[in-house]
Amino acid sequence: MTPDYKIFCLVPDLPDSTELEPFVAEMQANRWYTNFGPLTRRFEREMADFLLPNNAADIAVGTFSSATTALELVLKVMNLPQNARVLLPALTFPATALSVLNAGYTPVLSDVDAASWLLSPEIAKAALQDTSFDVVVPVATFGRPIDPKAWLSFQKETGIPVVLDAAAALGVQDVEPELITVFSLHATKPFGVGEGGLVVTADADLVKRAQSLSNFGFLGTAGVVQQIGTNAKFGEYYAAVGLAQLRRWQAVTEKRRQVAAWYSDMLPDGIQRQQGHDAFIPAVLCVFCDGKARHLTEKLASHAIQTRHWYLPLLHQHPALQCVDIVGGHAENLGVANHLQHGLFGLPFHGFLTKDDVAQICAILRDGIV
Amino acid sequence: MTPDYKIFCLVPDLPDSTELEPFVAEMQANRWYTNFGPLTRRFEREMADFLLPNNAADIAVGTFSSATTALELVLKVMNLPQNARVLLPALTFPATALSVLNAGYTPVLSDVDAASWLLSPEIAKAALQDTSFDVVVPVATFGRPIDPKAWLSFQKETGIPVVLDAAAALGVQDVEPELITVFSLHATKPFGVGEGGLVVTADADLVKRAQSLSNFGFLGTAGVVQQIGTNAKFGEYYAAVGLAQLRRWQAVTEKRRQVAAWYSDMLPDGIQRQQGHDAFIPAVLCVFCDGKARHLTEKLASHAIQTRHWYLPLLHQHPALQCVDIVGGHAENLGVANHLQHGLFGLPFHGFLTKDDVAQICAILRDGIV
């Protein structure tokens, strides 16, 4: 972190040494440090119970080295056609598109909804008039949860499988067992362990095959490569952090909930948030103020308050992503995303902010917006 | 680990909580847990000094999530021709071939030397008569160091770049700055941290570009994808373990050196080891006894002593690796590798073995070999 800021945009909240100690001690007693060791398997079981309380038996949870590799490997084991086309929103962290490309498929970019800033089932259905695709990856952009029931209906109606990229939404995203959901455990996420990702679905065999790919493609007989895999394993250290994080999650969440509530009270009119913002705690607090993002972020910076341009530029604007396809063939079809990009900016949002911090930020915004 | 064995083949030797504590505390004070944080950068600098004492400034060391991903990403940034052909030995851990395939290139399998069990510059030169290749990846199989000077000569004479896959040989493999060397930090390696890999070379720009690929292809402007990358970052937890491991490496090595010496004293005639075995401490103690591997490993198992068939089957025998090419076009050209595979087996080898353990193992081998 650059030391120039007085208030940082994002400060990870991970377990301290005391909280970690029992799990690290257990790992060291096992002398087992990776390769799906006992802590990793326990973390997977506990996360199943966390994500689907009372119905954990209905879902399989698999750990991976990251959400990026998890999404890539899941796409690889879904038996998609060669050169499959994957619909995803133009407004997301680039990893979504990179996973698709690394799996050997073509990203097809869609616009997002003007209120939620997400790819919605309605937008996907409309896209089917213009183009074809073999799978949809809606994204819980900025940590806003996706409606899993609506996407399950889409999957059933169209026969097109749905993989929820809920990378930033662990803790707020409901899990639908009949879909596949990917979560990130990256340090910058609310439920951070450092590096890591989860795949969650009722299809335990799919999780097993994806984890086989994360372990060189070994399946069945030890050390025999049945599929072209890589090394994308999670490791016992991160499982130890995850188990400790789970035990302090209520406290982590409570602090974030309080900060979100202060913002709801104090943010001035004219600063737009994602639809339903009071019903969930976001991963990052990305707001919209038409054409004023630069002005406001400069004002905040002059008070040593950091902001970020999360998930910008839009996917098709990255130099290495010129190869992607766009619904309707032209970037002009991404009307909402194009509009949003000039007004989006990320405010400081983490559990270490005080009420005074939030008050100061909101006062600067109020002054700057007029 | 299965609890049935009295003597295990491999027991990782990683730092304990007390040894880890100062580095974990520092990480937590930083609140920086991945993305090339200060511990990662310090570990890279300290490893440069460890690998090339007094000349650390001449080499760049980059960390990755694994040696497998490190090798893949290095191959991707070497500016190789499309569809490049990569020579590697038929006797190695499958990850070498998987990295080549995941980079988009074709593995070309060569035989190994009868004495060292490695791909040698002589074998590579002879292969040039039969086939073409764009890069060679010699492997430090079982942790036997590769001769970097001989490979530097090969690189200069032929113009074909050489990447040393020294995954298992960190601590015994000399680094030649003009070549690229890849090391593994996997828990099962002598210098284990859990999961991780290193790239070491004088070409700092190559390391930077490979690390850019490990961070989504971001390069230059923050968050802008300049190349199709993935997430293959190392993380601060593993850097903490690595820094602690470096401080106990002498003690780890000393125990392993003692065990290797006991084996040298007590292994019966007829049990063959890699050429030069007294000049290095191997990663795993893989031995050869013509046609008797199965008999001997069954004898050892009956005494609750674990053995392993490291790096078998040969690469082209894995179901998913039927796509590889072979020098001369046929598996029969892999004469030495084919011969070795029926007699190779891995004996227990780690720093927790006692002299009595080694004496018992060697006595069983002596009885069984007659």
Side-chain angles (χ1 to χ4, degrees), chain B residues 113 116-125 136-141 143-157 162-166 169 172-181 183 274-276 279-280:
Chain B
D113 178 77
S116 69
W117 309 348
L118 308 188
L119 165 56
S120 66
E122 293 71 31
I123 292 172
K125 264 181 227 164
V136 193
V137 182
V139 179
T141 310
R144 185 193 188 279
I146 305 160
D147 179 353
K149 296 289 176 208
W151 280 107
L152 181 59
S153 300
F154 174 93
Q155 180 172 289
K156 286 181 171 166
E157 277 171 42
V162 176
V163 180
L164 304 182
D165 176 351
V172 298
Q173 176 65 56
D174 285 343
V175 163
E176 168 50 57
E178 289 182 64
L179 303 177
I180 300 164
T181 307
F183 292 109
Q274 280 173 292
Q275 186 187 43
F280 68 96

Short mmCIF file of all heavy atoms in Angstrom, two decimals, chain B residues 113 116-125 136-141 143-157 162-166 169 172-181 183 274-276 279-280:
data_model
loop_
_atom_site.label_atom_id
_atom_site.label_comp_id
_atom_site.label_asym_id
_atom_site.label_seq_id
_atom_site.Cartn_x
_atom_site.Cartn_y
_atom_site.Cartn_z
N ASP B 113 19.85 -40.62 -20.13
CA ASP B 113 21.18 -41.21 -20.03
C ASP B 113 21.14 -42.42 -19.07
O ASP B 113 20.49 -42.36 -18.03
CB ASP B 113 22.14 -40.15 -19.52
CG ASP B 113 23.55 -40.68 -19.33
OD1 ASP B 113 24.25 -40.84 -20.35
OD2 ASP B 113 23.92 -40.97 -18.17
N SER B 116 23.00 -41.29 -15.50
CA SER B 116 22.40 -40.21 -14.68
C SER B 116 20.88 -40.27 -14.65
O SER B 116 20.26 -39.67 -13.80
CB SER B 116 22.83 -38.84 -15.24
OG SER B 116 22.21 -38.61 -16.50
N TRP B 117 20.29 -41.00 -15.61
CA TRP B 117 18.84 -41.10 -15.78
C TRP B 117 18.23 -39.75 -16.19
O TRP B 117 17.02 -39.53 -16.04
CB TRP B 117 18.13 -41.64 -14.53
CG TRP B 117 18.73 -42.92 -14.00
CD1 TRP B 117 19.63 -43.73 -14.62
CD2 TRP B 117 18.46 -43.53 -12.73
NE1 TRP B 117 19.95 -44.80 -13.83
CE2 TRP B 117 19.25 -44.70 -12.65
CE3 TRP B 117 17.65 -43.20 -11.65
CZ2 TRP B 117 19.25 -45.55 -11.53
CZ3 TRP B 117 17.63 -44.04 -10.54
CH2 TRP B 117 18.42 -45.19 -10.48
N LEU B 118 19.06 -38.85 -16.69
CA LEU B 118 18.60 -37.52 -17.13
C LEU B 118 18.74 -37.38 -18.64
O LEU B 118 19.55 -38.06 -19.27
CB LEU B 118 19.44 -36.41 -16.46
CG LEU B 118 19.62 -36.38 -14.96
CD1 LEU B 118 20.31 -35.08 -14.54
CD2 LEU B 118 18.31 -36.56 -14.23
N LEU B 119 17.98 -36.46 -19.19
CA LEU B 119 18.22 -35.98 -20.55
C LEU B 119 19.53 -35.19 -20.54
O LEU B 119 19.66 -34.24 -19.77
CB LEU B 119 17.05 -35.09 -21.00
CG LEU B 119 17.25 -34.20 -22.24
CD1 LEU B 119 17.66 -35.02 -23.45
CD2 LEU B 119 15.96 -33.42 -22.53
N SER B 120 20.48 -35.59 -21.37
CA SER B 120 21.80 -34.94 -21.41
C SER B 120 21.94 -34.12 -22.68
O SER B 120 21.21 -34.34 -23.66
CB SER B 120 22.89 -35.99 -21.36
OG SER B 120 22.85 -36.77 -22.56
N PRO B 121 22.89 -33.17 -22.70
CA PRO B 121 23.13 -32.41 -23.93
C PRO B 121 23.49 -33.32 -25.11
O PRO B 121 23.11 -33.05 -26.25
CB PRO B 121 24.31 -31.50 -23.56
CG PRO B 121 24.28 -31.40 -22.07
CD PRO B 121 23.74 -32.70 -21.57
N GLU B 122 24.19 -34.42 -24.83
CA GLU B 122 24.56 -35.36 -25.90
C GLU B 122 23.30 -35.97 -26.52
O GLU B 122 23.19 -36.09 -27.75
CB GLU B 122 25.46 -36.47 -25.35
CG GLU B 122 26.84 -36.00 -24.88
CD GLU B 122 26.80 -35.17 -23.60
OE1 GLU B 122 25.90 -35.40 -22.74
OE2 GLU B 122 27.65 -34.26 -23.45
N ILE B 123 22.36 -36.36 -25.67
CA ILE B 123 21.11 -36.96 -26.18
C ILE B 123 20.33 -35.91 -26.98
O ILE B 123 19.79 -36.21 -28.05
CB ILE B 123 20.26 -37.51 -25.01
CG1 ILE B 123 20.97 -38.73 -24.39
CG2 ILE B 123 18.86 -37.88 -25.49
CD1 ILE B 123 20.32 -39.23 -23.10
N ALA B 124 20.30 -34.67 -26.48
CA ALA B 124 19.58 -33.61 -27.20
C ALA B 124 20.22 -33.35 -28.56
O ALA B 124 19.53 -33.14 -29.56
CB ALA B 124 19.55 -32.34 -26.35
N LYS B 125 21.56 -33.36 -28.58
CA LYS B 125 22.26 -33.13 -29.86
C LYS B 125 21.95 -34.24 -30.85
O LYS B 125 21.69 -34.00 -32.03
CB LYS B 125 23.77 -33.01 -29.63
CG LYS B 125 24.23 -31.56 -29.52
CD LYS B 125 25.73 -31.47 -29.33
CE LYS B 125 26.04 -30.51 -28.21
NZ LYS B 125 27.40 -30.65 -27.70
N VAL B 136 14.64 -26.73 -25.20
CA VAL B 136 14.87 -27.99 -24.46
C VAL B 136 14.57 -27.73 -22.99
O VAL B 136 14.98 -26.71 -22.45
CB VAL B 136 16.34 -28.47 -24.52
CG1 VAL B 136 16.44 -29.91 -24.02
CG2 VAL B 136 16.90 -28.33 -25.89
N VAL B 137 13.91 -28.69 -22.37
CA VAL B 137 13.67 -28.63 -20.92
C VAL B 137 14.29 -29.88 -20.27
O VAL B 137 13.60 -30.88 -20.06
CB VAL B 137 12.17 -28.52 -20.59
CG1 VAL B 137 11.97 -28.40 -19.07
CG2 VAL B 137 11.54 -27.33 -21.29
N PRO B 138 15.59 -29.83 -19.96
CA PRO B 138 16.18 -30.95 -19.21
C PRO B 138 15.59 -30.93 -17.80
O PRO B 138 15.24 -29.87 -17.27
CB PRO B 138 17.67 -30.61 -19.16
CG PRO B 138 17.86 -29.42 -20.06
CD PRO B 138 16.54 -28.75 -20.19
N VAL B 139 15.48 -32.11 -17.19
CA VAL B 139 14.86 -32.21 -15.88
C VAL B 139 15.85 -32.79 -14.87
O VAL B 139 16.56 -33.76 -15.17
CB VAL B 139 13.59 -33.09 -15.93
CG1 VAL B 139 12.95 -33.21 -14.55
CG2 VAL B 139 12.60 -32.53 -16.93
N ALA B 140 15.89 -32.19 -13.69
CA ALA B 140 16.72 -32.72 -12.58
C ALA B 140 15.94 -33.84 -11.90
O ALA B 140 15.51 -33.73 -10.74
CB ALA B 140 17.05 -31.60 -11.60
N THR B 141 15.76 -34.94 -12.62
CA THR B 141 14.88 -36.02 -12.18
C THR B 141 15.32 -36.58 -10.82
O THR B 141 16.51 -36.83 -10.61
CB THR B 141 14.87 -37.13 -13.25
OG1 THR B 141 14.63 -36.52 -14.52
CG2 THR B 141 13.80 -38.16 -12.97
N GLY B 143 15.69 -35.05 -8.31
CA GLY B 143 16.52 -34.06 -7.61
C GLY B 143 17.99 -34.15 -7.93
O GLY B 143 18.80 -33.46 -7.31
N ARG B 144 18.36 -34.98 -8.91
CA ARG B 144 19.78 -35.01 -9.30
C ARG B 144 20.08 -33.76 -10.10
O ARG B 144 19.42 -33.46 -11.10
CB ARG B 144 20.09 -36.23 -10.16
CG ARG B 144 21.60 -36.33 -10.49
CD ARG B 144 21.86 -37.34 -11.58
NE ARG B 144 23.30 -37.55 -11.76
CZ ARG B 144 24.10 -36.75 -12.45
NH1 ARG B 144 23.62 -35.67 -13.03
NH2 ARG B 144 25.39 -37.05 -12.58
N PRO B 145 21.09 -32.97 -9.68
CA PRO B 145 21.33 -31.71 -10.38
C PRO B 145 21.76 -31.93 -11.84
O PRO B 145 22.40 -32.93 -12.18
CB PRO B 145 22.45 -31.05 -9.56
CG PRO B 145 23.00 -32.10 -8.67
CD PRO B 145 21.95 -33.14 -8.49
N ILE B 146 21.37 -30.98 -12.65
CA ILE B 146 21.73 -30.92 -14.08
C ILE B 146 23.05 -30.17 -14.18
O ILE B 146 23.32 -29.27 -13.37
CB ILE B 146 20.61 -30.16 -14.84
CG1 ILE B 146 19.24 -30.78 -14.59
CG2 ILE B 146 20.93 -30.06 -16.31
CD1 ILE B 146 18.07 -29.83 -14.89
N ASP B 147 23.85 -30.48 -15.18
CA ASP B 147 25.10 -29.75 -15.40
C ASP B 147 24.79 -28.47 -16.18
O ASP B 147 24.61 -28.50 -17.40
CB ASP B 147 26.07 -30.64 -16.19
CG ASP B 147 27.40 -29.93 -16.48
OD1 ASP B 147 27.51 -28.72 -16.18
OD2 ASP B 147 28.31 -30.60 -17.00
N PRO B 148 24.75 -27.32 -15.51
CA PRO B 148 24.30 -26.11 -16.22
C PRO B 148 25.33 -25.61 -17.23
O PRO B 148 24.95 -25.02 -18.25
CB PRO B 148 24.09 -25.10 -15.09
CG PRO B 148 24.90 -25.58 -13.95
CD PRO B 148 25.06 -27.07 -14.10
N LYS B 149 26.62 -25.86 -16.97
CA LYS B 149 27.65 -25.40 -17.92
C LYS B 149 27.50 -26.14 -19.25
O LYS B 149 27.62 -25.55 -20.33
CB LYS B 149 29.05 -25.65 -17.33
CG LYS B 149 29.36 -24.86 -16.07
CD LYS B 149 29.54 -23.37 -16.36
CE LYS B 149 29.75 -22.58 -15.08
NZ LYS B 149 29.29 -21.20 -15.18
N ALA B 150 27.26 -27.44 -19.16
CA ALA B 150 27.12 -28.23 -20.39
C ALA B 150 25.90 -27.76 -21.18
O ALA B 150 25.94 -27.69 -22.41
CB ALA B 150 26.99 -29.72 -20.03
N TRP B 151 24.83 -27.42 -20.48
CA TRP B 151 23.63 -26.95 -21.17
C TRP B 151 23.81 -25.53 -21.71
O TRP B 151 23.23 -25.19 -22.75
CB TRP B 151 22.40 -27.06 -20.26
CG TRP B 151 21.88 -28.46 -20.21
CD1 TRP B 151 21.97 -29.34 -19.18
CD2 TRP B 151 21.21 -29.16 -21.28
NE1 TRP B 151 21.39 -30.54 -19.51
CE2 TRP B 151 20.91 -30.45 -20.80
CE3 TRP B 151 20.84 -28.82 -22.58
CZ2 TRP B 151 20.26 -31.42 -21.57
CZ3 TRP B 151 20.18 -29.77 -23.35
CH2 TRP B 151 19.90 -31.05 -22.85
N LEU B 152 24.61 -24.72 -21.04
CA LEU B 152 24.90 -23.39 -21.58
C LEU B 152 25.67 -23.53 -22.89
O LEU B 152 25.38 -22.83 -23.87
CB LEU B 152 25.69 -22.56 -20.56
CG LEU B 152 26.02 -21.13 -21.00
CD1 LEU B 152 24.76 -20.33 -21.31
CD2 LEU B 152 26.85 -20.41 -19.93
N SER B 153 26.61 -24.49 -22.92
CA SER B 153 27.34 -24.75 -24.18
C SER B 153 26.37 -25.19 -25.27
O SER B 153 26.46 -24.74 -26.42
CB SER B 153 28.41 -25.84 -23.97
OG SER B 153 29.33 -25.42 -23.00
N PHE B 154 25.46 -26.08 -24.91
CA PHE B 154 24.46 -26.54 -25.88
C PHE B 154 23.67 -25.36 -26.44
O PHE B 154 23.47 -25.23 -27.65
CB PHE B 154 23.52 -27.55 -25.21
CG PHE B 154 22.37 -27.98 -26.09
CD1 PHE B 154 22.47 -29.12 -26.88
CD2 PHE B 154 21.18 -27.24 -26.14
CE1 PHE B 154 21.42 -29.52 -27.70
CE2 PHE B 154 20.13 -27.62 -26.97
CZ PHE B 154 20.25 -28.76 -27.75
N GLN B 155 23.23 -24.48 -25.53
CA GLN B 155 22.43 -23.32 -25.94
C GLN B 155 23.22 -22.44 -26.90
O GLN B 155 22.69 -21.96 -27.90
CB GLN B 155 21.99 -22.54 -24.70
CG GLN B 155 21.15 -21.31 -24.98
CD GLN B 155 20.57 -20.68 -23.70
OE1 GLN B 155 19.68 -21.22 -23.05
NE2 GLN B 155 21.12 -19.53 -23.30
N LYS B 156 24.51 -22.23 -26.57
CA LYS B 156 25.34 -21.36 -27.41
C LYS B 156 25.63 -22.01 -28.76
O LYS B 156 25.60 -21.35 -29.80
CB LYS B 156 26.65 -21.03 -26.69
CG LYS B 156 26.43 -20.00 -25.56
CD LYS B 156 27.70 -19.65 -24.83
CE LYS B 156 27.45 -18.47 -23.88
NZ LYS B 156 28.56 -18.29 -22.93
N GLU B 157 25.90 -23.30 -28.75
CA GLU B 157 26.25 -24.00 -30.00
C GLU B 157 25.08 -24.12 -30.95
O GLU B 157 25.21 -23.95 -32.16
CB GLU B 157 26.73 -25.43 -29.68
CG GLU B 157 28.19 -25.52 -29.28
CD GLU B 157 28.51 -26.92 -28.76
OE1 GLU B 157 28.04 -27.91 -29.36
OE2 GLU B 157 29.22 -27.00 -27.73
N VAL B 162 17.45 -23.10 -23.49
CA VAL B 162 17.36 -24.19 -22.52
C VAL B 162 16.67 -23.66 -21.26
O VAL B 162 17.06 -22.63 -20.72
CB VAL B 162 18.77 -24.72 -22.17
CG1 VAL B 162 18.69 -25.78 -21.07
CG2 VAL B 162 19.46 -25.26 -23.41
N VAL B 163 15.65 -24.38 -20.81
CA VAL B 163 14.99 -24.08 -19.53
C VAL B 163 15.20 -25.30 -18.63
O VAL B 163 14.75 -26.40 -18.97
CB VAL B 163 13.48 -23.84 -19.72
CG1 VAL B 163 12.82 -23.53 -18.37
CG2 VAL B 163 13.23 -22.71 -20.70
N LEU B 164 15.90 -25.12 -17.53
CA LEU B 164 16.16 -26.24 -16.62
C LEU B 164 14.96 -26.44 -15.71
O LEU B 164 14.61 -25.54 -14.93
CB LEU B 164 17.41 -25.98 -15.78
CG LEU B 164 18.72 -25.67 -16.52
CD1 LEU B 164 19.86 -25.48 -15.51
CD2 LEU B 164 19.08 -26.78 -17.50
N ASP B 165 14.33 -27.61 -15.80
CA ASP B 165 13.28 -27.96 -14.85
C ASP B 165 13.96 -28.64 -13.67
O ASP B 165 14.15 -29.86 -13.64
CB ASP B 165 12.26 -28.88 -15.52
CG ASP B 165 11.18 -29.36 -14.53
OD1 ASP B 165 11.32 -29.11 -13.31
OD2 ASP B 165 10.21 -29.99 -14.98
N ALA B 166 14.37 -27.80 -12.72
CA ALA B 166 15.06 -28.29 -11.53
C ALA B 166 14.08 -28.32 -10.36
O ALA B 166 14.44 -28.06 -9.21
CB ALA B 166 16.27 -27.42 -11.22
N ALA B 169 15.21 -29.93 -7.25
CA ALA B 169 16.64 -29.83 -6.94
C ALA B 169 17.04 -28.52 -6.26
O ALA B 169 18.23 -28.20 -6.21
CB ALA B 169 17.45 -30.05 -8.21
N VAL B 172 20.51 -28.04 -4.34
CA VAL B 172 21.65 -28.78 -4.90
C VAL B 172 21.96 -28.36 -6.34
O VAL B 172 23.02 -28.68 -6.87
CB VAL B 172 21.45 -30.32 -4.85
CG1 VAL B 172 21.31 -30.79 -3.40
CG2 VAL B 172 20.25 -30.76 -5.66
N GLN B 173 21.02 -27.65 -6.98
CA GLN B 173 21.19 -27.28 -8.39
C GLN B 173 21.90 -25.94 -8.50
O GLN B 173 21.39 -24.93 -8.02
CB GLN B 173 19.82 -27.19 -9.07
CG GLN B 173 19.87 -26.73 -10.52
CD GLN B 173 20.60 -27.71 -11.41
OE1 GLN B 173 20.24 -28.88 -11.47
NE2 GLN B 173 21.66 -27.26 -12.08
N ASP B 174 23.07 -25.93 -9.14
CA ASP B 174 23.74 -24.67 -9.44
C ASP B 174 22.94 -23.90 -10.49
O ASP B 174 22.39 -24.49 -11.42
CB ASP B 174 25.15 -24.93 -10.00
CG ASP B 174 26.12 -25.35 -8.90
OD1 ASP B 174 25.81 -25.12 -7.72
OD2 ASP B 174 27.18 -25.92 -9.24
N VAL B 175 22.92 -22.59 -10.31
CA VAL B 175 22.18 -21.73 -11.22
C VAL B 175 23.13 -21.09 -12.21
O VAL B 175 24.18 -20.56 -11.83
CB VAL B 175 21.43 -20.64 -10.41
CG1 VAL B 175 20.99 -19.51 -11.30
CG2 VAL B 175 20.24 -21.25 -9.69
N GLU B 176 22.79 -21.15 -13.47
CA GLU B 176 23.56 -20.49 -14.53
C GLU B 176 22.71 -19.31 -15.01
O GLU B 176 21.64 -19.51 -15.60
CB GLU B 176 23.82 -21.49 -15.66
CG GLU B 176 24.36 -20.90 -16.94
CD GLU B 176 25.55 -19.99 -16.72
OE1 GLU B 176 26.55 -20.45 -16.13
OE2 GLU B 176 25.47 -18.80 -17.10
N PRO B 177 23.16 -18.08 -14.75
CA PRO B 177 22.30 -16.92 -15.05
C PRO B 177 21.84 -16.85 -16.50
O PRO B 177 20.75 -16.34 -16.77
CB PRO B 177 23.19 -15.73 -14.69
CG PRO B 177 24.16 -16.25 -13.68
CD PRO B 177 24.40 -17.68 -14.06
N GLU B 178 22.66 -17.35 -17.43
CA GLU B 178 22.28 -17.24 -18.85
C GLU B 178 21.22 -18.25 -19.27
O GLU B 178 20.72 -18.20 -20.39
CB GLU B 178 23.52 -17.38 -19.74
CG GLU B 178 24.45 -16.18 -19.65
CD GLU B 178 25.64 -16.33 -20.59
OE1 GLU B 178 25.42 -16.35 -21.81
OE2 GLU B 178 26.77 -16.44 -20.08
N LEU B 179 20.92 -19.21 -18.39
CA LEU B 179 19.81 -20.12 -18.65
C LEU B 179 18.62 -19.68 -17.79
O LEU B 179 18.73 -18.77 -16.97
CB LEU B 179 20.19 -21.56 -18.30
CG LEU B 179 21.42 -22.15 -18.99
CD1 LEU B 179 21.69 -23.56 -18.47
CD2 LEU B 179 21.23 -22.15 -20.50
N ILE B 180 17.49 -20.35 -17.98
CA ILE B 180 16.32 -20.14 -17.12
C ILE B 180 16.17 -21.41 -16.28
O ILE B 180 16.18 -22.51 -16.83
CB ILE B 180 15.04 -19.93 -17.96
CG1 ILE B 180 15.20 -18.69 -18.86
CG2 ILE B 180 13.82 -19.80 -17.07
CD1 ILE B 180 14.16 -18.63 -19.99
N THR B 181 16.05 -21.25 -14.97
CA THR B 181 15.89 -22.42 -14.10
C THR B 181 14.59 -22.29 -13.32
O THR B 181 14.27 -21.22 -12.81
CB THR B 181 17.07 -22.54 -13.11
OG1 THR B 181 18.29 -22.52 -13.86
CG2 THR B 181 17.00 -23.84 -12.32
N PHE B 183 12.35 -23.92 -10.14
CA PHE B 183 12.38 -24.74 -8.93
C PHE B 183 10.98 -24.87 -8.34
O PHE B 183 10.17 -23.95 -8.46
CB PHE B 183 13.28 -24.09 -7.86
CG PHE B 183 14.74 -24.05 -8.18
CD1 PHE B 183 15.36 -22.84 -8.49
CD2 PHE B 183 15.51 -25.20 -8.16
CE1 PHE B 183 16.73 -22.79 -8.78
CE2 PHE B 183 16.87 -25.16 -8.44
CZ PHE B 183 17.49 -23.95 -8.75
N GLN B 274 21.58 -43.12 -8.98
CA GLN B 274 21.95 -42.21 -10.07
C GLN B 274 23.44 -41.90 -10.00
O GLN B 274 24.00 -41.76 -8.91
CB GLN B 274 21.15 -40.89 -9.96
CG GLN B 274 19.74 -41.00 -10.50
CD GLN B 274 18.93 -39.74 -10.21
OE1 GLN B 274 18.62 -39.46 -9.06
NE2 GLN B 274 18.57 -39.01 -11.25
N GLN B 275 24.05 -41.77 -11.16
CA GLN B 275 25.47 -41.41 -11.27
C GLN B 275 25.80 -40.20 -10.39
O GLN B 275 25.03 -39.23 -10.36
CB GLN B 275 25.75 -41.05 -12.74
CG GLN B 275 27.19 -40.79 -13.06
CD GLN B 275 27.30 -40.28 -14.51
OE1 GLN B 275 26.51 -39.44 -14.95
NE2 GLN B 275 28.26 -40.81 -15.24
N GLY B 276 26.90 -40.30 -9.68
CA GLY B 276 27.36 -39.18 -8.86
C GLY B 276 26.58 -39.03 -7.57
O GLY B 276 26.57 -37.96 -6.96
N ALA B 279 27.69 -37.12 -4.53
CA ALA B 279 28.03 -35.70 -4.66
C ALA B 279 26.83 -34.78 -4.43
O ALA B 279 26.97 -33.56 -4.49
CB ALA B 279 28.63 -35.45 -6.04
N PHE B 280 25.65 -35.35 -4.20
CA PHE B 280 24.47 -34.49 -3.97
C PHE B 280 23.48 -35.23 -3.08
O PHE B 280 23.52 -36.47 -2.97
CB PHE B 280 23.80 -34.12 -5.30
CG PHE B 280 23.16 -35.29 -6.01
CD1 PHE B 280 21.79 -35.54 -5.88
CD2 PHE B 280 23.91 -36.14 -6.81
CE1 PHE B 280 21.21 -36.64 -6.51
CE2 PHE B 280 23.33 -37.22 -7.46
CZ PHE B 280 21.98 -37.48 -7.31
#
